[in-house]
């Protein structure tokens, strides 16, 4: 995401004095709530979804993720790369290729 | 997120031939599942969370969001800015300032 | 659910002095967390699920629902019947038959 | 829950010919979606929730749980008691009393 998009999300919160509501726990709830509005787009029919709704709900998830990164002073690239280091070890290509099993069942 | 981080997420999927599992519906489920592992960090105690666990679970949410953007050919900045346009109208500063109410209750 | 099963769930909490953690909000988080462990049984393959895992995760959801009913002094039959009254009006048979649309799109 | 309440939930589905949409995976998604509407009642303020909304959302979770038990031919008492057997072993009173730690951290 571009710096100006992240700044826009930040300013939205600051302008409304909403930082007081953005505890890490409240943001975790919010990410789950929005993730489930996204999931609702695929509740009964996984093929014929409304792309406009999907875009809006996925955007909501992303906005709260940015809020949480901000709140905790985290860098998205740093935490994702640290997790990818782990994922690459948990799911070595030769074992995981073409299989959807969890690492402890590979 | 930097281009090389996004590329790393993409390559991880391609190398394991996992694109076949990444239907939009499966990714929506995955975002919700990871969002709830994040929520679990705050299940019984919202103040004393384990920051290392929070970082890992938030990273997992972000990874699946990148997968979903990729799968649907979406641009994060574009969908977030389109949603922020709506949010700014739904929550005008003069009405929403300092209040956590939903827009339809403001 | 039988009275003795409900009593067993209650005693489990009382014996461990866990009522202090069972705020309505914490129980709501817990229901969502367990619902997502249930969802994880269907994450990548919706047909070939592990029935034993499904039973355990669904049981966890039910246990926290009982805890929440208890905490709020609610009766399951009462709240379900009140909701079914609404559902039957929102989804009249002649309109909803065979369609998975949300009531506002029928 | 009483037999007549369960029958009402069943008839609601049958009358609308909705059994075709009630795959176990779709019901798992639905339980998570409703659990998150319940969670939304506590999103920003965990103390001052709307009890009427809580009752409706908890009822929705219960309805989909009944649908899932039905779909899989499961008995609520049986699966809950089997899970309580495990929980009682995982969380022995002498270790778990007054602590919200996960069993693997006790």
């Amino acid at each position: 995401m571009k710096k100006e998009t992240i700044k826009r999300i930040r300013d939205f919160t600051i302008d409304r004095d909403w930082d007081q509501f953005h505890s890490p726990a409240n943001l975790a709830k919010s990410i789950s709530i929005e993730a489930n509005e996204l999931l609702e787009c695929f509740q009964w029919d996984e093929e014929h979804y409304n792309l406009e709704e999907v875009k809006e709900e996925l955007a909501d998830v992303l906005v709260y993720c940015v809020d949480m990164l901000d709140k905790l002073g985290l860098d998205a690239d740093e935490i994702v790369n640290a997790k990818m280091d782990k994922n690459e070890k948990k799911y070595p290509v030769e074992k995981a290729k073409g299989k959807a099993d969890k690492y402890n069942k590979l």
Side-chain angles (χ1 to χ4, degrees), chain A:
Chain A
M1 223 180 279
K2 284 178 194 158
K3 280 190 185 162
E4 54 262 40
T5 310
I6 294 174
K7 189 179 178 316
R8 188 176 180 183
I9 296 173
R10 259 178 217 157
D11 288 346
F12 181 82
T13 299
I14 293 168
D15 291 348
R16 281 152 193 79
D17 200 13
W18 280 359
D19 186 62
Q20 58 184 311
F21 306 119
H22 284 193
S23 68
N26 285 357
L27 292 171
K29 284 183 275 174
S30 302
I31 293 171
S32 173
I33 292 165
E34 297 300 340
N36 275 274
E37 295 188 3
L38 176 59
L39 186 60
E40 202 180 344
C41 300
F42 305 95
Q43 186 173 10
W44 304 115
D45 183 340
E46 304 200 335
E47 307 303 322
H48 306 93
Y49 47 85
N50 180 325
L51 185 61
E52 285 314 302
E53 288 179 9
V54 169
K55 283 157 76 171
E56 289 203 9
E57 302 305 345
L58 182 54
D60 282 334
V61 174
L62 287 168
V63 167
Y64 281 127
C65 286
V66 169
D67 283 333
M68 191 153 193
L69 289 164
D70 245 33
K71 189 68 186 188
L72 297 171
L74 300 173
D75 177 73
D77 290 284
E78 204 178 296
I79 67 167
V80 167
N81 277 303
K83 192 61 197 343
M84 292 305 291
D85 287 345
K86 287 204 170 187
N87 288 349
E88 288 167 3
K89 274 176 206 147
K90 269 163 84 174
Y91 295 97
V93 173
E94 61 278 13
K95 275 194 181 177
K97 194 160 187 172
K99 290 184 219 155
D101 299 305
K102 220 177 168 174
Y103 68 96
N104 54 11
K105 293 184 184 169
L106 278 176

